[in-house]
Amino acid sequence: MLALEMFRSLPRTVAGRAVGARLPGILSGYAAPLRLVTIDAPQATRPGWARLRTRLSGICGSDLSMLSGQTSLYFSAVVSLPFVPGHEVVAELLDDCEDLPAGTRVVLDPVLACAARGVEPCPSCARGATNRCARITVGALSAGLQTGFCHDTGGGWGQQLVAHRSQLHPVPAEVDDVRALLLEPLACAVHTALRAGVRPDDRVLVSGAGLVGLLTAFALRALTPTGEMLVVAKHPHQRALAASLGASEVVGPEEVLRRVRRATGAFQVQPELSSPYLLGGVDVAVDAVGSRRSLETVLQATRAGGRVVLSGMPAAADLSAAWFRELEVVGSYASAVHEPGAGGAWAGRSAFEIATALLPAPALAEVAGAVARYPLHRWREALDHAHGAGRLGTVKVAFDPRPSPSAPQEI
Amino acid sequence: MSRPGFVLEVDDRTPPLVVHEGLGFRLERFPLGTRVVYPPESLPVVPDVDEAIREALLHPVDADPLPALLRPGMRLTIAFDDVSLPLPAMRAPDIRGRIIEHVLTLAAEAGVDDVELVAANALHRRMTAAELRHIVGERVFRSFHPQGLLTNFDAEDPEGLAHLGTTEQGEDVEISRRAAESDLVVYVNVNLVAMDGGHKSVGIGLASYRSLRHHHNAHTMVQSRSFMDHTRSAMHHSAWRMGRVIKEHVQVFQIETTLDNDVFPRPYDFFQKREWEWSVRDQASMLAVKRGLALAPQRLRHRLFHDLRGAYGLTGVAAGEVEAVHARTLERVHRQQLVEVQGQSDVLVLGVPYLGPYNVNSSMNPVLATCMGLGYFFNSYRHQPVVRPGGAVVLYHPLDEGFDQLHHPSYVDFYEEVLAESTDPAVIGQKYERQFAEDEWYRHLYRTSHAYHGVHPFYMWYWAAHAMDHVGDVIWVGADRKVAARLGFRAASTLADALEMASGTVGSSPSITYLHSPPHLLADVR
């Protein structure tokens, strides 16, 4: 089968870390440790596993960080090279898989937790917090925190992959592939929104209006009693989408601190040789970018005792505010089988179930309309497009690895 | 003898004319037939300033001589105009300092011990110690400032304000408690334009936002015809009503001064001469300044201009009862600045210079430039505006100086947030004014730093409300297009382009009037 494969390459990794942040497009296009290969399709040999044929697979911000060498080496212990990336997957079953017959369209919860690994549930998995699984390096699979980072399972950037029944969520018939592609990121956004611990009328800041930020804003509005919600967006289409998804106000990155200060009546102070920060600010802030600048912005704009949620994979940043302002800094990784923060009608349901229920919302039609797809052999263009997605008016770039790839198109 | 102002009609022989545009100027060739309104040359100054001051204090108008008002054990407050006047700042010694010395001498002779000096800065920024020293003079500064007896007025100090009552129209009169509880307030004024002085001195200079909001709002500003004629200005009507309430509670001894038109010192004095009369020295100076400015970086240009000190002469000083004194002041200001202009024109051309009342030692940001052009210069008329209703105003300014974070922090939010939503003074006033006025951070910066009050950018915008209501087109020559658009205006590269753009409003052969200022002039439009 045809697949894109991430392989071990010290020179490319070093080069990526050196210049990847400045020249992401060039690097990921021509010097990333990624290659288009023909390899044997992974086989489903254990009970509960099945083969899947990829229909669409998104390019996530974490994939781009990895390719441009920006990801922390922290994660090197929980992946197994070489692997086929792609964890945002819409696929169809090639085999029957327990209650799901072959041909069923599914999306993937990519976390490779205890059930998939064939080991006894760890304490986290036992209570449904599969995203906190402690066994992601052991069991019947090579190390890999998710499908798309594991040597044995394949990933969405290949024509086939394998997955365990615990990872599969059938796609309702009325949902097309493109909208289904939003399900995994939306589940993550649901998890983020519930991790945010928003109380009635809390002022919330969402930094970033890429897909993660937009869906997080949407989930916050849909699932929590968020009051005013300020979304930081760089590009005009992001501004429009953020507004339609529930933002009370949308501001540019340059004006966020000023706007938060005004909205919250905070005081602003200017440290020496550094950027200003607020005394006072929003109650909850979500970093949906993962850059140092964005992370420091949310730290600087949150009131003392407030909560900062790390939704984007975080970069190194000055954490003085977290200490000095006694911030609750919480991570938000993937999604859980049982979302403890979900209340009311959502209580006891998984993030994917909640996301599936939210998916038909009309506001998401426009987001789905800003997805671009590429065949695998045009992967360089696809990655360039993904790097410039915000600037180019796209919210998601995806691979369509099926054998008769169509020309790149907006769908 | 001074020469009166006059109106020149541009013909073939008219040389290019100086037009100010921020930290620079250009020589503009105007279309034939353009009317150019030149300010009068300076009036004769008083021969002996100290003698004139003494005379005013000892022989006031409609009031007892100052020594008769002073007695031991009394509480005396001396208030004075702040750094926003005159423009540019006066060469030392400042006339206010000279008057204050005289008042203090008389107070000392009368055995008055309880004396405080307060700058009547209303919602303007607090002056620095150096700025205070420049105004009151070294000796007074050293005698009062270290003891905390020479201060800036704080309009946000709840303990420092006294509510004196309301006018018959329900307007709150809230002023400095120190002034309100004084046995005598001596107000020392500098009258650069006819808009200032009178009940505007104590009634506005020492008032809180609670008072000021009654007349500093879009509705009142639009209703004022004109600001230079207090009998026809809704803003002044309100201030006069408040002044009369103050008069019931506080004895005010008003001292008003008037200055001549010597704004620019050498070698910049060619700016205040008529171009065809420039001597060889004037032309050489002009070329040197122009070339120097073209080569100088922005920071140096800023410094060159802001270091200028006016070579003003005193044309008169009057003291006594507020309204009677102001009548004399107005007469002198009019004599210095009035120029008769016959009829309105289709287009009014204005050069906006580097300096206004609110960017002393600071930058002329786009909101202030708008206030200068459409607020002050447009309103430099009596009877009726120079431009006809629905006409066009063409202004020269680059609109690029940025915002001074120290002095104008709320301006940035106003520009980014408020003007992005609407430029209509009434709409933004309704929606945003109170938020900005009561913002604790702005309040803190106003009280403890050198920031204008949070509501101040709204007031600047309100000043332009009358012009925006009156004209059909506002075009800025040489301005940053994005900035002009944010302000709700258009930008052009040249005067010809501006006139072309305005042709939809004023036709292809409009009548044009150019107000050649500074120095100040007041168009008396018949």
Side-chain angles (χ1 to χ4, degrees), chain A residues 249 255 258-259 261-263 265-269, chain B residues 412-413 416-417 432 435-436 439-442 444:
Chain A
E249 276 196 89
E255 45 186 337
R258 207 166 52 235
R259 196 64 77 90
R261 195 212 66 69
R262 271 261 306 118
F267 280 26
Q268 181 174 316
V269 291
Chain B
V412 184
D413 293 345
E416 294 284 354
E417 192 178 339
Y432 288 106
Q435 289 178 33
F436 275 65
D439 186 301
E440 283 297 337
W441 174 238
Y442 299 147
H444 169 76

Short mmCIF file of all heavy atoms in Angstrom, two decimals, chain A residues 249 255 258-259 261-263 265-269, chain B residues 412-413 416-417 432 435-436 439-442 444:
data_model
loop_
_atom_site.label_atom_id
_atom_site.label_comp_id
_atom_site.label_asym_id
_atom_site.label_seq_id
_atom_site.Cartn_x
_atom_site.Cartn_y
_atom_site.Cartn_z
N GLU A 249 -16.50 38.30 21.20
CA GLU A 249 -15.62 39.25 20.53
C GLU A 249 -14.45 38.50 19.92
O GLU A 249 -13.98 37.50 20.48
CB GLU A 249 -15.05 40.26 21.53
CG GLU A 249 -15.95 41.42 21.81
CD GLU A 249 -15.19 42.54 22.48
OE1 GLU A 249 -14.63 43.38 21.77
OE2 GLU A 249 -15.13 42.54 23.71
N GLU A 255 -3.88 42.84 19.90
CA GLU A 255 -4.77 43.62 20.75
C GLU A 255 -5.38 42.85 21.91
O GLU A 255 -6.16 43.40 22.68
CB GLU A 255 -5.87 44.28 19.91
CG GLU A 255 -6.50 43.36 18.91
CD GLU A 255 -7.49 44.05 17.98
OE1 GLU A 255 -8.01 45.10 18.34
OE2 GLU A 255 -7.75 43.49 16.91
N ARG A 258 -4.85 44.16 25.54
CA ARG A 258 -5.53 45.44 25.70
C ARG A 258 -7.05 45.22 25.81
O ARG A 258 -7.72 45.83 26.63
CB ARG A 258 -5.19 46.30 24.49
CG ARG A 258 -5.25 47.76 24.75
CD ARG A 258 -4.61 48.56 23.66
NE ARG A 258 -5.09 48.23 22.35
CZ ARG A 258 -4.33 47.85 21.34
NH1 ARG A 258 -3.03 47.73 21.50
NH2 ARG A 258 -4.84 47.58 20.16
N ARG A 259 -7.56 44.34 24.97
CA ARG A 259 -8.99 44.12 24.94
C ARG A 259 -9.46 43.41 26.22
O ARG A 259 -10.50 43.74 26.79
CB ARG A 259 -9.35 43.30 23.70
CG ARG A 259 -10.82 43.32 23.36
CD ARG A 259 -11.28 44.74 22.99
NE ARG A 259 -10.87 45.11 21.65
CZ ARG A 259 -11.59 44.90 20.56
NH1 ARG A 259 -12.77 44.33 20.64
NH2 ARG A 259 -11.17 45.28 19.38
N ARG A 261 -7.97 43.58 29.06
CA ARG A 261 -7.87 44.56 30.14
C ARG A 261 -9.11 45.44 30.20
O ARG A 261 -9.68 45.67 31.25
CB ARG A 261 -6.62 45.44 29.94
CG ARG A 261 -6.25 46.24 31.18
CD ARG A 261 -5.63 47.56 30.86
NE ARG A 261 -6.55 48.47 30.21
CZ ARG A 261 -7.60 49.03 30.78
NH1 ARG A 261 -7.89 48.79 32.04
NH2 ARG A 261 -8.40 49.85 30.10
N ARG A 262 -9.52 45.90 29.06
CA ARG A 262 -10.70 46.77 29.01
C ARG A 262 -11.96 46.02 29.44
O ARG A 262 -12.76 46.54 30.20
CB ARG A 262 -10.90 47.27 27.57
CG ARG A 262 -10.18 48.53 27.29
CD ARG A 262 -11.09 49.74 27.37
NE ARG A 262 -12.26 49.62 26.54
CZ ARG A 262 -13.51 49.60 27.00
NH1 ARG A 262 -13.73 49.71 28.28
NH2 ARG A 262 -14.52 49.51 26.18
N ALA A 263 -12.08 44.80 28.92
CA ALA A 263 -13.31 44.04 29.18
C ALA A 263 -13.43 43.66 30.65
O ALA A 263 -14.53 43.54 31.17
CB ALA A 263 -13.35 42.81 28.29
N GLY A 265 -11.66 45.20 33.24
CA GLY A 265 -11.29 46.26 34.19
C GLY A 265 -10.00 45.94 34.92
O GLY A 265 -9.78 46.41 36.04
N ALA A 266 -9.15 45.17 34.28
CA ALA A 266 -7.88 44.78 34.92
C ALA A 266 -6.88 45.92 34.88
O ALA A 266 -7.07 46.90 34.16
CB ALA A 266 -7.30 43.56 34.21
N PHE A 267 -5.83 45.78 35.65
CA PHE A 267 -4.70 46.70 35.58
C PHE A 267 -3.61 46.04 34.75
O PHE A 267 -3.46 44.83 34.77
CB PHE A 267 -4.17 47.01 36.98
CG PHE A 267 -4.99 48.04 37.71
CD1 PHE A 267 -6.32 48.22 37.42
CD2 PHE A 267 -4.41 48.83 38.68
CE1 PHE A 267 -7.08 49.16 38.09
CE2 PHE A 267 -5.15 49.78 39.36
CZ PHE A 267 -6.49 49.95 39.07
N GLN A 268 -2.86 46.87 34.07
CA GLN A 268 -1.79 46.34 33.23
C GLN A 268 -0.46 46.85 33.74
O GLN A 268 -0.34 48.03 34.06
CB GLN A 268 -2.01 46.77 31.78
CG GLN A 268 -0.96 46.26 30.83
CD GLN A 268 -1.31 46.60 29.38
OE1 GLN A 268 -2.44 46.44 28.95
NE2 GLN A 268 -0.34 47.07 28.64
N VAL A 269 0.50 45.96 33.81
CA VAL A 269 1.83 46.39 34.24
C VAL A 269 2.85 46.01 33.19
O VAL A 269 2.64 45.09 32.40
CB VAL A 269 2.23 45.79 35.61
CG1 VAL A 269 1.37 46.37 36.71
CG2 VAL A 269 2.11 44.28 35.58
N VAL B 412 -5.48 54.44 22.64
CA VAL B 412 -5.21 53.24 21.84
C VAL B 412 -6.46 52.37 21.79
O VAL B 412 -6.88 51.93 20.72
CB VAL B 412 -4.03 52.45 22.45
CG1 VAL B 412 -3.69 51.27 21.58
CG2 VAL B 412 -2.83 53.35 22.63
N ASP B 413 -7.06 52.15 22.93
CA ASP B 413 -8.29 51.35 22.96
C ASP B 413 -9.41 52.04 22.21
O ASP B 413 -10.22 51.40 21.55
CB ASP B 413 -8.72 51.10 24.41
CG ASP B 413 -7.73 50.22 25.15
OD1 ASP B 413 -6.89 49.60 24.47
OD2 ASP B 413 -7.77 50.17 26.39
N GLU B 416 -8.59 51.51 18.52
CA GLU B 416 -8.68 50.12 18.07
C GLU B 416 -10.07 49.54 18.25
O GLU B 416 -10.53 48.75 17.46
CB GLU B 416 -7.69 49.25 18.86
CG GLU B 416 -6.23 49.57 18.61
CD GLU B 416 -5.75 49.03 17.28
OE1 GLU B 416 -6.51 48.31 16.61
OE2 GLU B 416 -4.61 49.36 16.89
N GLU B 417 -10.71 49.93 19.30
CA GLU B 417 -11.93 49.25 19.69
C GLU B 417 -13.17 50.06 19.32
O GLU B 417 -14.10 49.57 18.68
CB GLU B 417 -11.89 49.02 21.20
CG GLU B 417 -12.93 48.10 21.73
CD GLU B 417 -12.76 47.91 23.23
OE1 GLU B 417 -11.65 48.14 23.75
OE2 GLU B 417 -13.74 47.56 23.87
N TYR B 432 -19.95 53.72 24.72
CA TYR B 432 -18.64 53.46 25.33
C TYR B 432 -18.16 54.48 26.36
O TYR B 432 -17.26 54.19 27.13
CB TYR B 432 -17.57 53.36 24.24
CG TYR B 432 -17.63 52.11 23.41
CD1 TYR B 432 -18.10 52.14 22.10
CD2 TYR B 432 -17.20 50.89 23.92
CE1 TYR B 432 -18.15 50.99 21.32
CE2 TYR B 432 -17.24 49.74 23.15
CZ TYR B 432 -17.71 49.79 21.86
OH TYR B 432 -17.74 48.66 21.10
N GLN B 435 -18.00 53.52 30.08
CA GLN B 435 -17.03 52.44 30.34
C GLN B 435 -15.61 52.99 30.46
O GLN B 435 -14.86 52.63 31.36
CB GLN B 435 -17.02 51.45 29.18
CG GLN B 435 -18.21 50.57 29.03
CD GLN B 435 -18.04 49.69 27.79
OE1 GLN B 435 -16.95 49.29 27.43
NE2 GLN B 435 -19.15 49.41 27.14
N PHE B 436 -15.26 53.85 29.52
CA PHE B 436 -13.91 54.41 29.53
C PHE B 436 -13.73 55.36 30.71
O PHE B 436 -12.68 55.40 31.34
CB PHE B 436 -13.62 55.14 28.21
CG PHE B 436 -13.13 54.24 27.11
CD1 PHE B 436 -13.95 53.25 26.59
CD2 PHE B 436 -11.86 54.36 26.59
CE1 PHE B 436 -13.51 52.41 25.57
CE2 PHE B 436 -11.40 53.53 25.58
CZ PHE B 436 -12.24 52.56 25.06
N ASP B 439 -13.25 53.31 33.92
CA ASP B 439 -12.27 52.22 33.89
C ASP B 439 -11.22 52.48 34.97
O ASP B 439 -10.55 53.52 34.98
CB ASP B 439 -11.63 52.17 32.51
CG ASP B 439 -10.71 50.98 32.35
OD1 ASP B 439 -9.73 50.87 33.13
OD2 ASP B 439 -10.95 50.17 31.46
N GLU B 440 -11.06 51.52 35.87
CA GLU B 440 -10.17 51.73 37.02
C GLU B 440 -8.71 51.90 36.61
O GLU B 440 -7.96 52.60 37.27
CB GLU B 440 -10.29 50.55 37.99
CG GLU B 440 -11.55 50.60 38.84
CD GLU B 440 -11.60 51.82 39.75
OE1 GLU B 440 -10.56 52.40 40.06
OE2 GLU B 440 -12.72 52.22 40.13
N TRP B 441 -8.35 51.21 35.54
CA TRP B 441 -6.95 51.30 35.12
C TRP B 441 -6.64 52.70 34.59
O TRP B 441 -5.65 53.31 34.95
CB TRP B 441 -6.67 50.25 34.05
CG TRP B 441 -5.32 50.30 33.41
CD1 TRP B 441 -5.05 50.45 32.09
CD2 TRP B 441 -4.05 50.17 34.07
NE1 TRP B 441 -3.70 50.43 31.88
CE2 TRP B 441 -3.06 50.26 33.08
CE3 TRP B 441 -3.66 50.01 35.40
CZ2 TRP B 441 -1.71 50.19 33.37
CZ3 TRP B 441 -2.31 49.94 35.69
CH2 TRP B 441 -1.35 50.02 34.68
N TYR B 442 -7.52 53.22 33.76
CA TYR B 442 -7.31 54.59 33.26
C TYR B 442 -7.33 55.58 34.43
O TYR B 442 -6.57 56.54 34.47
CB TYR B 442 -8.39 54.99 32.26
CG TYR B 442 -8.47 54.14 31.03
CD1 TYR B 442 -9.68 53.90 30.42
CD2 TYR B 442 -7.33 53.57 30.47
CE1 TYR B 442 -9.77 53.12 29.28
CE2 TYR B 442 -7.41 52.79 29.33
CZ TYR B 442 -8.63 52.57 28.75
OH TYR B 442 -8.72 51.81 27.63
N HIS B 444 -6.49 55.00 37.45
CA HIS B 444 -5.23 54.86 38.16
C HIS B 444 -4.11 55.60 37.43
O HIS B 444 -3.33 56.32 38.04
CB HIS B 444 -4.91 53.36 38.27
CG HIS B 444 -3.53 53.06 38.73
ND1 HIS B 444 -3.16 53.17 40.05
CD2 HIS B 444 -2.42 52.66 38.05
CE1 HIS B 444 -1.88 52.84 40.17
NE2 HIS B 444 -1.41 52.54 38.97
#
